[in-house]
Amino acid sequence: MNIKERIERLRKEITYHSKRYYENDAPEISDFEYDKMFEELKRLESENPEYYSETSPTQRVGGKALDKFEKVKHEVKMASLTDVFDFDELRAFIRRVKAEVGENTEFSVEPKIDGLSVSLKYENGLLTVGATRGDGTTGEDVTANIKTIRSIPLELNESLNITVRGEVYMPHKSFEKLNKEREETGESLWANPRNAAAGSLRCLDSKETAKRGLDIFVFNYQTGTLEGVNTHKDTIEKINALGFKTIPLLYVGSDEEKIINAVIKLGEDRPSLNFDIDGTVIKVNSLEKRKELGDGTSTPKWAVAYKFPPEQKKTKLLDIVIQVGRTGVLTPNAVLEPVRLAGTSVSRATLHNIDIIKEKDIRIGDTVIVQKAGDIIPEVVGSVKEARTGEELPYNMPDKCPSCGGSLTYDDADDFVDDGEDFTLGALRCTNPSCPAQLERNITHFASKKAMNIEGVGGKLVKALLDNHLIHDASDLYYLNKEDISALERMGEKSAENFINSIEASKQMGLARVIFALGIRHIGEVASGELASKFGTVDALFEADEDSIKEIGDFGEVMAKSVVDFFKKDETRYIIERLKNAGVKTSEEVKELSNELEGLTFVLTGTLENMTRDEAAEMIKARGGKVSSSVSSKTDYVLAGEAAGSKLTKAQALGVKIINKEEFLNLCK
Ligand code: IVH
């Protein structure tokens, strides 16, 4: 065998064994043997560059990091699905379809994978472009990252021109491994496998993506023709034969009861799957009938997604502990016997406040039902009264702050500001401004991603720094040295160095971030940006009075007072001085807020990340723009977030400019 043949042989073998390992979970050779072949191939390829091949398995380890992703316009729109939330709605869908295209209409039932949608374009059988869905029309070119996913063939079994669509996801095993590593290096943890998958597929460095263990299920083709393919079932079989890992079909047929049963069965199997699903997709099987039914304006008429109610589990409530928040609010948290829920192990859950504990009669020692609200934050739904033994203990809130012993007050109605954060009528609050628990949360907030973005500063590290008297307030972070940090338990040399570099980089974040990081009550991300634009320097803020602050359109009495009170405090002066001396940038270009959007009409639709539509509307109005509820040819901009519906479609039809949150914030600068 000559070198060329040996290289080809290795490529074939590695591709085969990789498929056995990653897709079928049934390896035939040991990892050691596999690695040996891989190393040999790598060596032969580097010694004989003339035999380079873009489809070699060695191409899956990632390449040069990018500065940004290029945009890709999808040839065929990547539509989303209409959701149904109960079986009545699902039955109504089935009946409507049957009434329209025939009683004998077949449906397919398949899992709805909780990941992110991608399109994979093949030219002459070779993978050329992998793109994210983006807004459905335009996505991002993530080809280099896509290539690192082992179950995506770099070359098809036939030399076709075709674009397929599938869902990239992170299997539980990869998710747990990733979060364990992050915990060890003090990085913040991913909340769930979906976010982790999205973040991993959008790494600019594909070598990083390669380490994340992503996977895919392919569920249809977007463009191209496949001979002899008339149904969804045919499609799945055909694309499977081309080399893709395809979505499992759980039932194909026209029997309404069997469709419902397949959905129920998947719900039952959900906890034992090794990936997250958030529902079931029910699709018309015949491609011809799909055409008859049509693709609708925003979602196809031939499919729906049945969304599962949040997964619930029973477990034991071992204890109730109090967490003191950044603004002193005391929140009762449940300490639970660990239980697996929607992809992660849960041992803590919020109990919200004492009224809820009393109303639901939740006692320490109870068997409780937990769920993830919005599938992210675990909460206790209630207790199982029948499981009581009589040993359970009712809970009462402490009458002193458990962290500092300070006295407590109740939030009352006069205190209320509708700023979407941190107010619960009747919530208990610690009144001691130097309460250590508040301090810890404050500093953690200061360093958090949306504030000064100092990597690695989770609650644990802040606590360790405070306990070791290395810091006393947030400004002290800028006076730490590497030796102090690497001496802490579980802090290696490398992590300490990353941490110091990250602190250094955070100095350039600018005034808006600094204001937000300081954690002034009622002043969120948007309000911080507005203060920074109006006042320009932190010194100007020390001088600002309530009236001048209220000139910012959406600032009311309570917010303005909160800012003035905050900058009056000696402690604030002290911290700001220390930040300045450390070289933290505390200025921003002053921008006239009043009229940059004058004469422009906006329509808002969909969900924006970290910003309510009301906040966006306030920002527009504060700058002289108008907000309208319906799209017409007079609309200048449609600001579209996630799951935007008919307004978006109309804007596209009328050719109105559609912008995302980032573009919107740029307009407002
Ligand atoms: S079909 C035109 N099938 O769910 C219909 N989608 O809103 C195309 N998803 O963004 C979608 N599993 O990313 C389909 N088995 C599945 C799916 C699936 C997950 C995602 C998809 C889409 C969203 C639906």
Side-chain angles (χ1 to χ4, degrees):
M1 205 186 291
N2 63 29
I3 290 182
K4 184 163 181 257
E5 284 163 348
R6 177 70 188 151
I7 287 180
E8 276 162 11
R9 170 103 227 125
L10 283 167
R11 284 177 183 160
K12 277 215 179 85
E13 292 243 338
I14 291 170
T15 304
Y16 170 79
H17 288 295
S18 167
K19 211 171 160 69
R20 296 286 308 172
Y21 183 87
Y22 288 101
E23 280 178 62
N24 309 342
D25 209 5
E28 287 170 11
I29 57 171
S30 69
D31 289 2
F32 178 74
E33 283 169 293
Y34 179 88
D35 292 344
K36 227 170 60 182
M37 282 202 284
F38 202 90
E39 283 312 311
E40 184 186 350
L41 177 59
K42 261 199 344 211
R43 181 176 57 78
L44 290 176
E45 283 182 350
S46 79
E47 287 168 3
N48 305 278
E50 65 274 29
Y51 299 135
Y52 163 84
S53 159
E54 58 183 322
T55 62
S56 169
T58 53
Q59 296 300 305
R60 292 193 186 274
V61 291
K64 242 174 67 198
L66 304 172
D67 296 330
K68 66 175 178 54
F69 296 117
E70 296 300 327
K71 296 261 184 269
V72 187
K73 197 159 165 43
H74 300 303
E75 281 166 60
V76 170
K77 192 180 163 208
M78 292 177 76
S80 57
L81 296 166
T82 304
D83 290 335
V84 298
F85 295 95
D86 59 45
F87 291 141
D88 287 345
E89 283 183 85
L90 178 54
R91 286 180 197 277
F93 161 73
I94 297 169
R95 288 173 197 175
R96 195 181 62 238
V97 167
K98 285 187 174 178
E100 206 172 322
V101 291
E103 276 308 308
N104 60 352
T105 302
E106 288 186 334
F107 295 83
S108 64
V109 179
E110 63 194 47
K112 183 169 188 296
I113 312 297
D114 202 4
L116 67 154
S117 215
V118 297
S119 69
L120 311 172
K121 181 173 179 174
Y122 290 79
E123 290 170 273
N124 300 319
L126 294 183
L127 174 62
T128 51
V129 183
T132 60
R133 175 173 176 270
D135 62 5
T137 309
T138 311
E140 284 174 324
D141 184 337
V142 289
T143 312
N145 295 348
I146 283 289
K147 284 188 173 169
T148 70
I149 301 174
R150 310 273 168 166
S151 48
I152 294 178
L154 302 175
E155 184 174 11
L156 302 178
N157 295 331
E158 270 178 57
S159 165
L160 288 179
N161 292 313
I162 189 176
T163 299
V164 299
R165 175 173 178 184
E167 193 86 352
V168 167
Y169 66 95
M170 186 175 281
H172 292 158
K173 221 162 69 188
S174 311
F175 178 70
E176 273 153 26
K177 180 167 164 265
L178 176 64
N179 260 357
K180 193 160 163 262
E181 284 164 6
R182 290 178 78 90
E183 194 167 5
E184 276 162 13
T185 53
E187 286 166 283
S188 58
L189 302 187
W190 291 103
N192 55 47
R194 183 194 46 236
N195 291 2
S200 302
L201 195 64
R202 296 188 68 260
C203 287
L204 288 166
D205 181 0
S206 49
K207 287 204 173 67
E208 190 54 39
T209 310
K211 294 183 205 149
R212 302 283 177 92
L214 294 174
D215 208 335
I216 192 169
F217 281 113
V218 173
F219 47 71
N220 64 255
Y221 63 97
Q222 297 285 100
T223 66
T225 42
L226 292 173
E227 239 165 86
V229 166
N230 301 310
T231 63
H232 183 51
K233 187 159 182 273
D234 294 345
T235 307
I236 296 296
E237 279 163 11
K238 176 72 191 181
I239 54 186
N240 188 264
L242 288 177
F244 293 105
K245 177 170 169 181
T246 44
I247 194 87
L249 296 182
L250 308 170
Y251 172 74
V252 180
S254 57
D255 187 311
E256 187 176 309
E257 285 323 303
K258 288 193 177 146
I259 295 170
I260 301 281
N261 283 338
V263 175
I264 294 175
K265 169 91 175 32
L266 181 63
E268 288 166 358
D269 292 345
R270 186 183 184 194
S272 60
L273 299 175
N274 66 7
F275 49 86
D276 274 6
I277 59 173
D278 59 343
T280 317
V281 186
I282 299 94
K283 300 174 177 171
V284 167
N285 192 31
S286 152
L287 302 187
E288 197 54 45
K289 289 191 179 189
R290 287 187 182 182
K291 267 203 209 126
E292 259 178 78
L293 288 155
D295 279 336
T297 44
S298 62
T299 53
K301 302 262 199 257
W302 45 263
V304 287
Y306 169 85
K307 296 298 276 280
F308 288 128
E311 192 185 343
Q312 297 190 335
K313 283 272 177 70
K314 279 185 197 164
T315 187
K316 207 144 197 108
L317 175 62
L318 303 174
D319 199 2
I320 295 178
V321 293
I322 295 291
Q323 188 186 334
V324 184
R326 176 162 70 82
T327 54
V329 174
L330 271 56
T331 307
N333 275 336
V335 181
L336 305 165
E337 214 162 73
V339 60
R340 242 200 117 70
L341 198 60
T344 49
S345 169
V346 171
S347 53
R348 286 284 182 114
T350 180
L351 284 160
H352 301 288
N353 58 49
I354 189 67
D355 294 338
I356 291 184
I357 298 177
K358 293 255 183 292
E359 189 188 302
K360 295 187 173 162
D361 185 19
I362 293 167
R363 304 181 187 179
I364 296 172
D366 263 344
T367 297
V368 288
I369 299 164
V370 279
Q371 70 174 26
K372 283 193 182 174
D375 275 358
I376 297 186
I377 308 156
E379 63 178 0
V380 174
V381 185
S383 61
V384 186
K385 309 287 180 298
E386 306 81 69
R388 283 200 175 145
T389 60
E391 305 268 297
E392 296 74 17
L393 296 172
Y395 180 75
N396 286 309
M397 288 295 269
D399 51 14
K400 294 248 156 23
C401 171
S403 169
C404 67
S407 56
L408 305 174
T409 58
Y410 278 97
D411 274 6
D412 66 34
D414 291 345
D415 241 2
F416 180 66
V417 179
D418 188 11
D419 60 357
E421 63 160 278
D422 200 30
F423 183 90
T424 319
L425 194 58
L428 269 182
R429 205 181 275 277
C430 167
T431 53
N432 172 10
S434 45
C435 167
Q438 284 183 54
L439 191 61
E440 185 186 319
R441 306 275 297 180
N442 244 314
I443 299 172
T444 310
H445 166 79
F446 182 91
S448 66
K449 229 190 186 126
K450 284 192 238 151
M452 300 307 279
N453 192 20
I454 303 174
E455 234 173 271
V457 189
K460 278 186 197 154
L461 180 58
V462 172
K463 189 166 182 332
L465 291 170
L466 283 167
D467 288 349
N468 287 285
H469 307 288
L470 290 169
I471 58 172
H472 307 92
D473 62 50
S475 68
D476 289 339
L477 289 171
Y478 292 95
Y479 295 87
L480 287 167
N481 59 44
K482 206 175 107 191
E483 289 67 43
D484 289 341
I485 301 164
S486 52
L488 292 174
E489 214 181 316
R490 290 174 61 126
M491 250 295 180
E493 185 90 0
K494 183 87 193 119
S495 318
E497 197 175 311
N498 289 344
F499 180 52
I500 292 288
N501 290 342
S502 187
I503 288 181
E504 199 49 41
S506 79
K507 291 181 182 172
Q508 300 307 322
M509 288 289 171
L511 182 60
R513 294 273 197 146
V514 172
I515 297 172
F516 178 59
L518 290 169
I520 308 168
R521 255 195 102 187
H522 307 304
I523 304 300
E525 225 183 330
V526 175
S528 302
E530 289 175 335
L531 283 169
S533 303
K534 180 164 169 67
F535 292 97
T537 63
V538 78
D539 294 323
L541 276 163
F542 280 112
E543 303 299 320
D545 58 18
E546 285 184 35
D547 286 339
S548 63
I549 294 172
K550 277 194 286 186
E551 280 168 17
I552 305 175
D554 44 346
F555 272 61
E557 197 77 35
V558 179
M559 283 166 84
K561 184 168 180 321
S562 174
V563 174
V564 171
D565 287 351
F566 182 84
F567 282 98
K568 255 196 235 150
K569 290 193 282 191
D570 289 342
E571 197 188 323
T572 306
R573 272 190 194 278
Y574 171 79
I575 289 178
I576 298 281
E577 266 325 295
R578 304 244 313 148
L579 290 176
K580 275 191 191 165
N581 289 341
V584 175
K585 189 174 160 211
T586 55
S587 60
E588 203 113 331
E589 220 177 289
V590 183
K591 293 195 185 109
E592 256 319 307
L593 274 181
S594 55
N595 58 4
E596 67 233 53
L597 301 182
E598 202 170 299
L600 297 177
T601 305
F602 288 74
V603 172
L604 313 176
T605 176
T607 318
L608 300 167
E609 205 184 323
N610 302 321
M611 188 190 276
T612 64
R613 283 214 289 270
D614 283 346
E615 277 178 307
E618 287 304 335
M619 285 176 68
I620 293 166
K621 287 187 233 154
R623 289 164 176 77
K626 271 205 325 218
V627 179
S628 160
S629 58
S630 59
V631 181
S632 73
S633 55
K634 295 207 186 86
T635 312
D636 294 291
Y637 290 103
V638 167
L639 169 56
E642 265 296 296
S646 58
K647 288 181 192 170
L648 180 61
T649 324
K650 188 155 180 209
Q652 281 161 343
L654 291 175
V656 172
K657 189 154 173 51
I658 298 159
I659 54 172
N660 60 24
K661 181 184 160 188
E662 234 168 45
E663 291 162 323
F664 171 66
L665 291 178
N666 280 335
L667 277 182
C668 291
K669 268 191 180 153

